Amino acid sequence: MTIRVAVADDQVLVRSGFTVLLSGEPDIDVVGEAGNGAEALAVAAREHPDVLLMDVRMPVMDGLEATRRITGDESLASTRVVILTTFDLDEYVYEALRAGASGFLLKDTLPVDLLNAVRVVAAGDALIAPRITRRLIEEFARRPGPAATDATRTALDQITEREREVLKLVARGQSNAEIAAQLYVSHATVKTHVSRLLMKLDARDRAQLVMLAYETGVVTPGVA
């Protein structure tokens, strides 16, 4: 199955570099480029890419606002936004996670990591953060944000104890393989639990599961 990708970055050389790299892969098809957030919205609406690599600082409309609009548009529910950031703890990364981004990628990441990130996010399997440490998740959670809705808290009451265990580990930034090893279950079993959590909590992806876990107190920042 071919992964359809779009790239949004106001730096032509950066955008072209990503496009050339991605286009060279047999399972990836670059379906559009954008030089600002408004153009990214137009590309997303026209092409419905599986993954959209989104820079933060762009003219006309920044990547954060573009991400909010894309993730808030039900017709683009299948599009995953991966934020391109310059620094490991860029302040915009926190806002991007709340805006609905599915992952983060540093612009100086290795080509193999970029390709892997696109494939994993397209599969909905993990929160991507090469060199953006798990501390990022807890740091973001310390910042004030919207309280969980009553519907979310009610949904949390309906999940099983095992699903709650998996949710905690997802919130700690662990991959499916790491969770499987810790709980002594198969990788497939973990994927099933994650899928059920996404459905029960009406979450778009793992990034939203992380947010819900912290905002509802299932996981407390800094507490193992």
Side-chain angles (χ1 to χ4, degrees):
M1 183 176 179
T2 301
I3 302 171
R4 305 175 79 255
V5 180
V7 182
D9 195 298
D10 64 329
Q11 298 182 50
V12 178
L13 288 178
V14 173
R15 190 170 71 241
S16 298
F18 282 144
T19 297
V20 169
L21 174 64
L22 293 164
S23 298
E25 296 299 300
D27 61 333
I28 296 176
D29 182 18
V30 178
V31 297
E33 296 184 30
N36 59 59
E39 291 180 4
L41 278 175
V43 169
R46 183 177 67 249
E47 301 294 343
H48 290 261
D50 300 306
V51 178
L52 199 164
L53 299 179
M54 181 86 75
D55 188 22
V56 173
R57 299 180 181 90
M58 293 187 292
V60 184
M61 179 188 295
D62 65 31
L64 295 178
E65 180 59 27
T67 297
R68 289 190 193 96
R69 296 193 186 190
I70 289 171
T71 59
D73 187 338
E74 291 186 2
S75 70
L76 297 176
S78 62
T79 297
R80 299 287 183 263
V81 177
V82 176
I83 293 294
L84 298 171
T85 183
T86 306
F87 305 105
D88 289 41
L89 293 177
D90 187 330
E91 63 180 281
Y92 291 104
V93 174
Y94 304 101
E95 295 300 322
L97 184 53
R98 293 199 181 281
S102 295
F104 308 96
L105 200 63
L106 291 174
K107 287 189 177 181
D108 63 352
T109 190
L110 295 174
V112 66
D113 290 332
L114 169 63
L115 296 173
N116 182 60
V118 167
R119 291 180 177 117
V120 174
V121 168
D125 191 46
L127 176 67
I128 302 301
R131 286 176 48 202
I132 299 178
T133 66
R134 291 174 182 166
R135 179 165 63 90
L136 171 64
I137 298 173
E138 294 193 358
E139 286 293 333
F140 122 80
R142 290 190 177 96
R143 297 184 174 216
T149 64
D150 290 339
T152 298
R153 295 188 181 279
T154 299
L156 274 173
D157 291 335
Q158 307 305 314
I159 67 175
T160 67
E161 283 304 311
R162 177 60 89 182
E163 288 168 348
R164 186 175 291 269
E165 285 183 283
V166 171
L167 177 59
K168 289 179 179 179
L169 295 175
V170 167
R172 294 299 186 195
Q174 293 195 16
S175 67
N176 283 357
E178 291 170 328
I179 295 172
Q182 183 161 336
L183 298 181
Y184 300 103
V185 297
S186 69
H187 186 271
T189 297
V190 175
K191 289 188 71 173
T192 297
H193 285 313
V194 172
S195 295
R196 287 175 178 168
L197 285 167
L198 291 170
M199 179 182 66
K200 289 182 178 180
L201 299 178
D202 193 25
R204 178 185 177 92
D205 51 31
R206 292 173 76 104
Q208 284 199 340
L209 288 181
V210 171
M211 291 172 57
L212 289 171
Y214 282 110
E215 292 177 348
T216 57
V218 172
V219 176
T220 302
V223 177

